[in-house]
Amino acid sequence: MARNIIKMAHIYKGYMLGQEKVPILKDVNFEVEEGEFVAILGPSGSGKTTLMNLIGCMDMLDEGEYYLAGTAVHGLEEEDMTQIRNSEIGFIFQNYQLISTYNIEQNIIMPLLIRGMSTAEAREQCREIVKMLGIDHRLRHRPNELSGGQKQRASIARALVSKPAILLADEPTGALDRESGRDVLKLFGELNEMGNTIVMITHDLNVAKAAQRIVYIVDGRLYDSAEEIPQEDK
Ligand code: ADP
Ligand code: MG
């Protein structure tokens, strides 16, 4: 049987507003099996980024249980969260988050160097991935010399290089023109076929459709199908 990479049960998360806690995520249940490609689809303000921060171990949940690749994240201190985040999550952001003063190769191998790998070994590990992503001829360039699509490929390479349990993408095509966006989604499909587990967050149904499965977030609640969304929230 396939293994659950993500298992979230009865998750609550709110933010303090003055003296009061404003609830944002309410009783969220979410499971992802190894090898799945899942989209979390929801309108602006529905809680997508809040949920992504929890999935990505960048923030602590208020209530509930979260298991990531078998580890109980809900019981961890901040330091251990950083560790599991670095080893299990490959982040892909809308705005790429590449370091502008580094060349593309330096950007990609950075997570490996941080972990203490030698530059030679890190470059070796990077080689296959950049070839597969078609950016091997851009390694010596700075991010601002690349197209949007190439920058996103570089950020995907950086996410892949440390072999994370999941790729976690927040609006990965949000800054791209249509064609580059389509290319990135096609690439996600290929990476998924190669066995990568992908969770992609988006407000765009057409983007979400690239995934195998869509879950819906509306007003901080997660639904497994569009039919389950209460009528007044649709
Ligand atoms: P989305 O990514 O779907 O647009 P967010 O998760 O960013 O939604 O935000 C969900 C709700 O939580 C919004 O109403 C937003 O104003 C609120 N919110 C987000 N971050 C914070 C924060 N750090 N402090 C207070 N409220 C926040
Ligand atoms: Mg957001």
Side-chain angles (χ1 to χ4, degrees):
M1 221 181 72
R3 179 168 87 106
N4 268 331
I5 292 283
I6 291 175
K7 186 170 167 52
M8 288 185 142
H10 307 295
I11 297 289
Y12 289 80
K13 174 72 183 172
Y15 295 114
M16 291 306 292
L17 196 69
Q19 297 294 316
E20 265 179 71
K21 184 153 245 177
V22 181
I24 305 295
L25 299 178
K26 303 152 196 160
D27 197 17
V28 166
N29 297 286
F30 182 47
E31 293 182 7
V32 176
E33 285 183 358
E34 189 164 23
E36 273 198 295
F37 179 8
V38 184
I40 300 174
L41 175 65
S44 174
S46 57
K48 297 187 298 296
T49 297
T50 304
L51 180 57
M52 171 170 138
N53 288 343
L54 294 185
I55 294 172
C57 302
M58 290 194 285
D59 204 353
M60 290 196 174
L61 47 87
D62 294 338
E63 279 179 61
E65 295 188 336
Y66 174 25
Y67 293 90
L68 172 60
T71 300
V73 176
H74 52 274
L76 295 181
E77 301 290 334
E78 211 157 303
E79 209 173 290
D80 298 320
M81 279 183 50
T82 304
Q83 165 124 37
I84 190 171
R85 173 169 71 236
N86 289 341
S87 64
E88 307 292 5
I89 312 272
F91 290 99
I92 298 157
F93 299 99
Q94 174 170 354
N95 61 1
Y96 327 118
Q97 306 244 17
L98 297 167
I99 297 169
S100 60
T101 54
Y102 284 10
N103 72 29
I104 293 303
E105 185 180 59
Q106 289 165 331
N107 268 281
I108 295 170
I109 67 175
M110 170 97 122
L112 299 177
L113 300 185
I114 287 173
R115 287 189 204 177
M117 192 181 278
S118 73
T119 306
E121 201 180 334
R123 291 173 75 171
E124 180 60 37
Q125 194 151 321
C126 160
R127 193 168 303 156
E128 289 278 299
I129 292 169
V130 294
K131 212 166 174 189
M132 173 180 78
L133 297 182
I135 51 169
D136 47 328
H137 59 305
R138 287 284 182 264
L139 292 182
R140 301 281 163 263
H141 293 254
R142 297 273 177 91
N144 67 6
E145 296 170 312
L146 271 60
S147 70
Q150 287 173 333
K151 277 188 269 204
Q152 196 55 301
R153 280 167 185 265
S155 96
I156 292 168
R158 180 187 52 193
L160 283 170
V161 80
S162 46
K163 303 188 171 71
I166 64 168
L167 292 175
L168 185 56
D170 191 10
E171 303 281 5
T173 62
L176 299 176
D177 62 76
R178 243 173 213 260
E179 198 185 330
S180 316
R182 261 199 303 266
D183 283 349
V184 163
L185 293 175
K186 188 159 159 268
L187 176 59
F188 276 12
E190 289 163 9
L191 291 172
N192 177 239
E193 272 170 29
M194 294 161 83
N196 292 284
T197 307
I198 305 174
V199 175
M200 176 175 73
I201 290 159
T202 182
H203 69 281
D204 185 338
L205 176 61
N206 283 318
V207 170
K209 279 178 178 164
Q212 284 170 341
R213 174 160 76 91
I214 303 177
V215 297
Y216 302 81
I217 183 166
V218 179
D219 193 23
R221 291 180 187 277
L222 208 68
Y223 302 93
D224 288 330
S225 76
E227 288 74 47
E228 291 171 30
I229 302 168
Q231 207 53 44
E232 68 267 25
D233 286 337
K234 268 188 189 172

